[in-house]
Structures are given as C-alpha cells and as structure tokens.
Coordinates of all heavy atoms in Angstrom, one line a residue:
D1 N -12.2 -121.2 13.8 CA -12.2 -119.8 13.3 C -11.4 -118.9 14.3 O -10.7 -118.0 13.9 CB -13.7 -119.3 13.3 CG -14.4 -119.9 12.0 OD1 -13.8 -120.7 11.3 OD2 -15.6 -119.5 11.9
G2 N -11.7 -119.1 15.6 CA -11.0 -118.3 16.6 C -9.5 -118.4 16.6 O -8.8 -117.5 16.7
E3 N -9.0 -119.7 16.5 CA -7.6 -120.0 16.5 C -7.0 -119.3 15.2 O -6.0 -118.7 15.3 CB -7.4 -121.4 16.5 CG -7.7 -122.1 17.8 CD -7.6 -123.7 17.6 OE1 -7.9 -124.2 16.5 OE2 -7.3 -124.4 18.6
A4 N -7.7 -119.5 14.1 CA -7.2 -119.0 12.8 C -7.2 -117.4 12.8 O -6.2 -116.8 12.4 CB -8.1 -119.4 11.7
G5 N -8.2 -116.8 13.5 CA -8.1 -115.3 13.6 C -7.0 -114.9 14.4 O -6.4 -113.8 13.9
V6 N -6.7 -115.5 15.5 CA -5.6 -115.0 16.4 C -4.2 -115.3 15.6 O -3.3 -114.4 15.7 CB -5.6 -115.7 17.7 CG1 -4.3 -115.3 18.5 CG2 -6.9 -115.3 18.4
I7 N -4.1 -116.4 14.9 CA -2.9 -116.7 14.2 C -2.7 -115.6 13.1 O -1.6 -115.0 12.9 CB -2.9 -118.1 13.5 CG1 -2.9 -119.2 14.6 CG2 -1.8 -118.3 12.6 CD1 -3.1 -120.5 14.1
Y8 N -3.7 -115.3 12.4 CA -3.7 -114.3 11.3 C -3.3 -112.9 12.0 O -2.6 -112.2 11.4 CB -5.1 -114.1 10.7 CG -5.2 -113.2 9.5 CD1 -5.0 -113.6 8.2 CD2 -5.4 -111.8 9.8 CE1 -5.1 -112.6 7.2 CE2 -5.5 -110.9 8.8 CZ -5.4 -111.3 7.5 OH -5.4 -110.4 6.4
G9 N -3.9 -112.5 13.0 CA -3.5 -111.3 13.7 C -2.2 -111.2 14.2 O -1.5 -110.2 14.0
A10 N -1.6 -112.3 14.7 CA -0.2 -112.3 15.2 C 0.7 -112.2 14.0 O 1.7 -111.5 14.0 CB 0.1 -113.7 15.9
Y11 N 0.3 -112.9 12.9 CA 1.2 -112.8 11.6 C 1.3 -111.4 11.2 O 2.3 -110.9 10.8 CB 0.6 -113.8 10.6 CG 1.0 -113.5 9.2 CD1 2.4 -113.8 8.8 CD2 0.2 -112.9 8.3 CE1 2.8 -113.6 7.5 CE2 0.7 -112.6 6.9 CZ 1.9 -113.0 6.6 OH 2.3 -112.7 5.4
T12 N 0.2 -110.7 11.0 CA 0.1 -109.4 10.4 C 0.8 -108.3 11.4 O 1.4 -107.4 10.9 CB -1.3 -108.9 10.0 OG1 -2.2 -109.1 11.2 CG2 -1.9 -109.7 8.9
A13 N 0.6 -108.6 12.7 CA 1.3 -107.7 13.6 C 2.8 -107.8 13.5 O 3.5 -106.8 13.5 CB 0.9 -108.1 15.0
L14 N 3.3 -109.1 13.4 CA 4.8 -109.2 13.2 C 5.3 -108.6 11.9 O 6.4 -108.1 11.8 CB 5.1 -110.7 13.3 CG 5.0 -111.4 14.7 CD1 5.1 -112.9 14.5 CD2 6.0 -110.8 15.6
V15 N 4.4 -108.7 10.8 CA 4.8 -108.0 9.6 C 5.0 -106.5 9.8 O 5.8 -105.9 9.2 CB 3.7 -108.2 8.5 CG1 3.9 -107.3 7.3 CG2 3.7 -109.6 8.0
Y16 N 4.4 -105.9 10.8 CA 4.5 -104.5 11.1 C 5.8 -104.3 12.0 O 6.3 -103.2 12.0 CB 3.3 -103.9 11.8 CG 2.2 -103.4 10.9 CD1 1.2 -104.2 10.4 CD2 2.2 -102.1 10.4 CE1 0.3 -103.7 9.5 CE2 1.3 -101.5 9.5 CZ 0.3 -102.4 9.1 OH -0.6 -101.9 8.3
I17 N 6.1 -105.2 12.7 CA 7.2 -105.0 13.6 C 8.6 -105.2 13.0 O 9.6 -104.5 13.3 CB 7.1 -105.9 14.9 CG1 5.8 -105.5 15.7 CG2 8.3 -105.9 15.8 CD1 5.4 -106.6 16.6
T18 N 8.8 -106.2 12.1 CA 10.1 -106.5 11.5 C 10.7 -105.4 10.7 O 11.9 -105.4 10.6 CB 10.0 -107.8 10.8 OG1 8.9 -107.8 9.7 CG2 9.8 -109.0 11.6
P19 N 9.9 -104.5 10.1 CA 10.7 -103.4 9.4 C 11.5 -102.6 10.3 O 12.5 -101.9 9.8 CB 9.4 -102.6 8.8 CG 8.4 -103.5 8.6 CD 8.5 -104.5 9.8
V20 N 11.3 -102.6 11.6 CA 12.2 -101.8 12.5 C 13.5 -102.4 12.4 O 14.6 -101.7 12.3 CB 11.7 -101.9 14.0 CG1 12.6 -101.2 14.9 CG2 10.3 -101.3 14.1
L21 N 13.7 -103.8 12.4 CA 14.9 -104.5 12.3 C 15.6 -104.3 11.0 O 16.7 -103.8 10.8 CB 14.7 -106.0 12.6 CG 16.0 -106.9 12.3 CD1 17.1 -106.5 13.3 CD2 15.6 -108.4 12.4
G22 N 14.8 -104.5 9.9 CA 15.3 -104.3 8.6 C 15.8 -102.9 8.3 O 16.8 -102.7 7.6
G23 N 15.0 -101.9 8.7 CA 15.4 -100.5 8.5 C 16.7 -100.2 9.2 O 17.5 -99.5 8.8
Y24 N 16.8 -100.7 10.5 CA 17.9 -100.4 11.4 C 19.2 -100.9 10.7 O 20.2 -100.2 10.6 CB 17.8 -100.9 12.7 CG 18.8 -100.6 13.6 CD1 19.1 -99.4 14.3 CD2 19.8 -101.6 13.9 CE1 20.2 -99.2 15.0 CE2 20.9 -101.4 14.8 CZ 21.1 -100.2 15.4 OH 22.2 -99.9 16.2
L25 N 19.2 -102.2 10.4 CA 20.4 -102.8 9.8 C 20.8 -102.2 8.5 O 22.0 -102.0 8.3 CB 20.1 -104.4 9.6 CG 19.9 -105.2 10.9 CD1 19.6 -106.7 10.5 CD2 21.0 -105.1 11.8
A26 N 19.8 -101.8 7.7 CA 20.2 -101.1 6.4 C 20.7 -99.8 6.6 O 21.8 -99.4 6.0 CB 18.9 -101.0 5.5
D27 N 20.1 -98.9 7.5 CA 20.7 -97.6 7.8 C 22.1 -97.6 8.4 O 22.9 -96.8 8.0 CB 19.7 -96.9 8.8 CG 18.4 -96.5 8.1 OD1 18.4 -96.5 6.9 OD2 17.4 -96.2 8.8
R28 N 22.3 -98.6 9.3 CA 23.5 -98.6 10.0 C 24.7 -99.3 9.2 O 25.8 -98.8 9.2 CB 23.3 -99.4 11.3 CG 24.5 -99.3 12.3 CD 24.5 -97.9 12.9 NE 25.7 -97.8 13.8 CZ 25.7 -98.2 15.2 NH1 24.5 -98.6 15.7 NH2 26.7 -98.0 15.9
W29 N 24.4 -100.4 8.5 CA 25.5 -101.1 7.9 C 25.2 -101.6 6.5 O 26.1 -101.4 5.6 CB 25.8 -102.4 8.7 CG 26.3 -102.1 10.2 CD1 27.5 -101.5 10.5 CD2 25.6 -102.4 11.3 NE1 27.6 -101.5 11.8 CE2 26.4 -101.9 12.4 CE3 24.4 -103.0 11.6 CZ2 26.0 -102.1 13.8 CZ3 24.0 -103.1 13.0 CH2 24.8 -102.6 14.0
L30 N 24.1 -102.3 6.3 CA 23.9 -103.1 5.1 C 23.6 -102.3 3.8 O 24.0 -102.6 2.7 CB 22.8 -104.1 5.3 CG 22.6 -105.3 4.4 CD1 23.9 -106.1 4.4 CD2 21.5 -106.2 4.9
G31 N 23.0 -101.1 4.0 CA 22.5 -100.3 2.9 C 21.2 -100.8 2.3 O 20.8 -102.0 2.5
Q32 N 20.4 -100.0 1.7 CA 19.0 -100.3 1.3 C 19.0 -101.4 0.3 O 18.2 -102.3 0.2 CB 18.2 -99.1 0.9 CG 17.7 -98.2 2.0 CD 18.9 -97.3 2.6 OE1 19.8 -97.0 1.7 NE2 18.8 -97.0 3.8
R33 N 19.9 -101.3 -0.8 CA 19.9 -102.2 -1.9 C 20.0 -103.6 -1.5 O 19.4 -104.6 -1.9 CB 20.9 -101.8 -3.0 CG 20.6 -102.6 -4.2 CD 21.8 -102.3 -5.2 NE 23.1 -102.8 -4.7 CZ 23.5 -104.1 -4.7 NH1 22.7 -105.1 -5.1 NH2 24.7 -104.4 -4.1
K34 N 21.2 -103.8 -0.7 CA 21.5 -105.3 -0.2 C 20.3 -105.8 0.6 O 20.0 -106.9 0.6 CB 22.8 -105.3 0.4 CG 23.9 -105.1 -0.4 CD 25.3 -105.2 0.4 CE 26.5 -105.1 -0.5 NZ 26.7 -106.1 -1.4
A35 N 19.7 -104.9 1.5 CA 18.7 -105.3 2.4 C 17.5 -105.7 1.6 O 16.8 -106.8 1.9 CB 18.3 -104.2 3.4
V36 N 17.1 -104.9 0.5 CA 16.0 -105.3 -0.3 C 16.2 -106.6 -1.1 O 15.4 -107.5 -1.2 CB 15.7 -104.1 -1.4 CG1 14.7 -104.6 -2.5 CG2 15.1 -102.9 -0.7
L37 N 17.5 -106.7 -1.6 CA 17.8 -108.1 -2.3 C 17.8 -109.3 -1.3 O 17.1 -110.2 -1.7 CB 19.2 -107.9 -2.8 CG 19.8 -109.1 -3.6 CD1 18.9 -109.4 -4.9 CD2 21.2 -108.9 -4.0
Y38 N 18.2 -109.1 -0.1 CA 18.1 -110.1 0.8 C 16.7 -110.5 1.2 O 16.3 -111.6 1.3 CB 18.9 -109.7 2.1 CG 18.9 -110.8 3.2 CD1 19.4 -112.1 3.0 CD2 18.4 -110.6 4.4 CE1 19.4 -113.1 4.0 CE2 18.4 -111.5 5.5 CZ 18.9 -112.8 5.2 OH 18.9 -113.7 6.2
G39 N 15.9 -109.4 1.4 CA 14.5 -109.6 1.7 C 13.7 -110.3 0.7 O 12.9 -111.2 0.8
A40 N 14.1 -109.9 -0.6 CA 13.4 -110.6 -1.8 C 13.7 -112.0 -1.9 O 12.9 -112.9 -2.2 CB 13.8 -109.8 -3.1
V41 N 15.0 -112.4 -1.6 CA 15.4 -113.8 -1.7 C 14.6 -114.7 -0.7 O 14.1 -115.7 -1.0 CB 16.9 -113.9 -1.5 CG1 17.3 -115.4 -1.3 CG2 17.7 -113.3 -2.6
I42 N 14.6 -114.2 0.7 CA 13.9 -115.0 1.7 C 12.4 -115.0 1.5 O 11.7 -115.9 1.8 CB 14.4 -114.7 3.1 CG1 14.1 -113.2 3.4 CG2 15.9 -114.9 3.2 CD1 14.5 -112.9 4.9
L43 N 11.9 -113.9 0.9 CA 10.5 -113.8 0.6 C 10.1 -114.9 -0.5 O 9.1 -115.5 -0.3 CB 10.1 -112.4 0.1 CG 9.6 -111.4 1.1 CD1 9.5 -110.1 0.5 CD2 8.2 -111.8 1.7
T44 N 10.9 -114.9 -1.4 CA 10.7 -115.9 -2.6 C 10.6 -117.3 -2.0 O 9.8 -118.1 -2.3 CB 11.7 -115.8 -3.7 OG1 11.7 -114.4 -4.2 CG2 11.5 -116.7 -4.8
F45 N 11.7 -117.6 -1.1 CA 11.7 -119.0 -0.6 C 10.5 -119.1 0.3 O 9.9 -120.3 0.3 CB 13.0 -119.0 0.3 CG 13.2 -120.4 1.0 CD1 13.7 -121.4 0.2 CD2 12.9 -120.6 2.2 CE1 13.8 -122.7 0.7 CE2 13.2 -121.8 2.8 CZ 13.6 -122.9 2.1
G46 N 10.1 -118.2 1.2 CA 8.9 -118.4 2.0 C 7.7 -118.5 1.2 O 6.8 -119.4 1.6

C-alpha cells in the first residue's frame, strides 16, 4: 500500500508538471492544434 501510494503520488505530480513543457513548446513553435494532436496520439498509445 505504501509503495503504491507514493507511485500514485509521483505519477499525479508529474501530470501537473508536464503541461509547462507542452504549453511552452506550443506557444513558442508548435501551435496548440499540433500539440493537442501529438498529445492525443501518445496518450492513445499509452
């Protein structure tokens, strides 16, 4: 239970951190539509 709890916490924490990267790349170069499409593709795979 303890190990699972910490893994779960680390996972959800990282979910909050990665939008900084996705938002920055979209604002600077990629654009929101391509970023959403790319995110959807790798989400589906995951």
Side-chain angles (χ1 to χ4, degrees):
D1 288 3
E3 291 170 331
V6 174
I7 293 168
Y8 181 97
Y11 163 73
T12 53
L14 289 169
V15 164
Y16 271 90
I17 294 171
T18 51
V20 176
L21 173 65
Y24 178 78
L25 294 181
D27 288 343
R28 190 74 184 270
W29 297 293
L30 198 55
Q32 287 78 27
R33 187 191 62 79
K34 288 181 181 291
V36 169
L37 181 61
Y38 179 61
V41 169
I42 60 176
L43 269 169
T44 302
F45 185 74

